[in-house]
Amino acid sequence: MNGATRTIDKPDVERAIVDPATYMDRAAYDAIFTGLRRDDPIRWIEPEGFRPFWLVTRSADIVDIERRATIFLNGPRAVLKPLAFEERLARQQRGHSEIIKSMNNMDGEAHRANRAVTSRDFLRPNIERMAAQLEPVAADFVQRLVDKAPTCDFAADVTMWYPLRVILTLLGVAPEHDARILALTQRIFLDPGDGADPAAAQADKMAAVEGFFDFFRPIVADRRANPRDDIASKVANARIDGEPMDEFETLSYFLTLATAGHDTTAASIAGGLLALIRNPGEMEKLRGDPGLLETAADEMIRWNAPVKHFFRTAAEDFEIGGKAIRAGDSVMLAFASACRDEDLFEDPFAFRVDRTPNRHLALGSGPHACLGQHLAKLEIRLFFRHLLDRIDHIELVGEPRSNPSSFISGIVSLPIRYRVRR
Ligand code: HEM
């Protein structure tokens, strides 16, 4: 029987939605979410140990909710956390419900002003101008692959590091610090999981945030003393309503930029290569016409949809899809489910490097749509252009593995064997 058509009873669905392991297994995920899109696309979920929420699984409903940004707010609930974590955070976090102050948890004018600090830099034409600066970074990471031939763990050895180096290049951090920044950000964003001790896990996250802030403090001071034409200088010298951002806001901004785009882009590249290996016809198409890298990058992001959800909180009563959402209710937007929406995509379960149109929601939509989306797509294009130039045969030599998380999940281990073109 096709897993996607299996009927799943209520407690099973509720447990599975909050179980990080569900997100490691695309077939299990699709079995649940395909059923939800078909039978109950806006469903009230009351999982044990979590605050209840509406789960929204179809693309059109998510777009509708995201564009009503004065009704469906980004704050205070951002992502799924066990109730015990939420309660500790509410008690202890500097008056914030998240451990840093990030634009994805802001609304209205505060969000607009915060995003405006860098939004011009991230527009497509401005990002494309960075291609010359980023080209050598992509070439260098493909060279690492070449140096490791004939086998490597493509995710752990290459893709986990490449997008991090890209964003740290733009933030003015030298390569010798990459391992330290990666370790800190992994501690900050690691999914606490069911069995974790909330107090210990939270203390460790806070310590990692402080470590990150300590690292960026001198960079902020330097960019204030010697501003240059770069993103780090923009953030360090930003003024909101004529006032400089305070230290917590400034360092949180650095943390947001440094972390939002690396495991997501890494998962899209590793999962993109896996999709090409499993669909040799698509690999051949792309090799035959590198002009397809543009649509292929989008398809890799749709296919992997590493950001599984974000929440919104209703500011007022609102009816959608026949469901009465009450002021104060939270709503989980299942972006990864929308990326397989049968109403939107022809053959949603097929990976096609030339898919057009491709109005997927892996990068969200509306006023909070991914700020770094053009950077992510440029990174993917540059990387695969070099990879296809230098490597002419790639095969799997072990089981690919994804990380368990209901928030950001994707391929973290991809053992491959490959041949370097001579
Ligand atoms: C393939 C890689 C990426 C994926 C899948 C991804 C996905 C997302 C998603 C789903 C959102 C929320 C959108 C919404 O609420 O509608 C988001 C927001 C955001 N992303 Fe990305 N992202 C990626 C790469 C990047 C990169 C490279 C950056 C670098 C700066 C970045 C920075 C941000 C920021 C700052 C936000 C918050 C925007 C706001 O709230 O206004 N992302 N991203």
Side-chain angles (χ1 to χ4, degrees):
M1 183 170 73
N2 177 354
T5 59
R6 193 154 40 104
T7 306
I8 300 155
D9 68 18
K10 182 172 154 65
D12 279 352
V13 171
E14 309 219 326
R15 256 195 311 276
I17 300 297
V18 297
D19 182 356
T22 302
Y23 299 81
M24 298 172 77
D25 176 352
R26 187 76 215 197
Y29 180 92
D30 284 334
I32 294 162
F33 283 84
T34 302
L36 287 168
R37 286 194 302 277
R38 183 192 54 222
D39 301 332
D40 202 358
I42 301 180
R43 174 164 170 166
W44 182 246
I45 304 270
E46 295 179 322
E48 207 186 317
F50 292 80
R51 263 197 298 146
F53 53 88
W54 294 98
L55 174 59
V56 184
T57 49
R58 279 189 192 161
S59 181
D61 293 328
I62 295 177
V63 171
D64 198 14
I65 288 171
E66 289 209 279
R67 74 189 171 83
R68 298 176 196 277
T70 54
I71 299 177
F72 293 102
L73 304 179
N74 274 49
R77 191 180 193 180
V79 298
L80 185 70
K81 292 193 188 84
L83 198 53
F85 275 81
E86 290 194 339
E87 286 170 349
R88 278 196 82 83
L89 279 172
R91 280 200 304 274
Q92 293 180 4
Q93 295 303 320
R94 299 169 162 134
H96 301 287
S97 59
E98 293 298 314
I99 52 177
I100 61 163
K101 195 166 177 186
S102 168
M103 73 179 85
N104 72 23
N105 209 25
M106 296 178 186
D107 287 290
E109 181 50 27
H111 169 253
R112 198 205 54 74
N114 195 273
R115 186 169 165 124
V117 170
T118 55
S119 54
R120 282 179 61 84
D121 301 83
F122 284 100
L123 292 175
R124 180 165 181 159
N126 295 332
I127 289 296
E128 292 297 326
R129 262 181 235 124
M130 294 176 190
Q133 188 188 356
L134 298 181
E135 185 87 51
V137 183
D140 180 46
F141 277 85
V142 172
Q143 183 61 44
R144 287 193 196 188
L145 192 61
V146 168
D147 293 342
K148 283 184 178 287
T151 58
C152 76
D153 185 329
F154 181 70
D157 296 337
V158 183
T159 55
M160 191 194 284
W161 300 96
Y162 163 62
L164 180 71
R165 175 84 309 264
V166 167
I167 191 71
L168 292 182
T169 301
L170 301 183
L171 293 180
V173 178
E176 62 263 30
H177 303 297
D178 290 3
R180 179 167 166 201
I181 301 289
L182 184 67
L184 288 171
T185 56
Q186 284 175 338
R187 277 169 59 200
I188 297 169
F189 291 101
L190 196 72
D191 199 308
D194 285 348
D197 166 22
Q202 191 196 337
D204 189 59
K205 281 182 196 299
M206 293 307 294
V209 168
E210 286 310 323
F212 189 96
F213 282 6
D214 288 344
F215 181 87
F216 274 94
R217 237 175 237 115
I219 294 181
V220 171
D222 173 58
R223 291 306 201 274
R224 284 187 179 153
N226 312 294
R228 298 165 222 174
D229 183 19
D230 65 4
I231 292 179
S233 301
K234 281 269 176 58
V235 179
N237 295 292
R239 300 182 84 83
I240 290 186
D241 294 335
E243 295 295 320
M245 291 199 291
D246 68 24
E247 187 186 54
F248 181 59
E249 286 172 324
T250 306
L251 292 168
S252 290
Y253 209 114
F254 271 88
L255 202 155
T256 300
L257 291 184
T259 56
H262 71 80
D263 44 0
T264 46
T265 313
S268 302
I269 295 176
L273 181 66
L274 178 60
L276 289 173
I277 294 172
R278 286 184 168 159
N279 297 275
E282 298 302 299
M283 175 83 97
E284 281 320 300
K285 244 193 247 173
L286 195 55
R287 282 191 187 284
D289 180 3
L292 291 176
L293 279 169
E294 179 93 24
T295 50
D298 246 316
E299 180 68 345
M300 288 176 186
I301 297 173
R302 177 189 81 92
W303 188 249
N304 294 290
V307 178
K308 306 305 174 196
H309 78 269
F310 266 112
F311 272 101
R312 298 293 187 264
T313 301
E316 53 189 80
D317 292 356
F318 191 81
E319 190 177 313
I320 182 162
K323 302 289 170 94
I325 296 179
R326 301 262 168 249
D329 285 356
S330 27
V331 178
M332 179 194 260
L333 308 178
F335 296 121
S337 165
C339 286
R340 296 291 185 278
D341 191 334
E342 300 74 2
D343 288 346
L344 187 64
F345 296 107
E346 187 193 305
D347 218 354
F349 292 92
F351 174 77
R352 293 185 185 158
V353 290
D354 52 359
R355 185 180 288 280
T356 32
N358 197 347
R359 287 190 294 274
H360 65 75
L361 283 190
L363 298 155
S365 67
H368 286 273
C370 178
L371 177 76
Q373 56 183 290
H374 301 297
L375 178 61
K377 291 178 197 178
L378 174 67
E379 286 177 50
I380 297 172
R381 285 193 337 256
L382 291 176
F383 186 86
F384 276 96
R385 190 149 54 70
H386 283 276
L387 181 129
L388 296 177
D389 264 4
R390 306 225 33 214
I391 310 289
D392 70 1
H393 174 80
I394 312 175
E395 64 190 29
L396 270 185
V397 289
E399 264 310 294
R401 188 170 50 79
S402 295
N403 62 310
S405 172
S406 59
F407 177 35
I408 296 180
S409 167
I411 301 289
V412 290
S413 178
L414 188 64
I416 55 168
R417 186 188 341 263
Y418 48 102
R419 206 169 52 214
V420 176
R421 186 167 284 151
R422 296 288 166 201

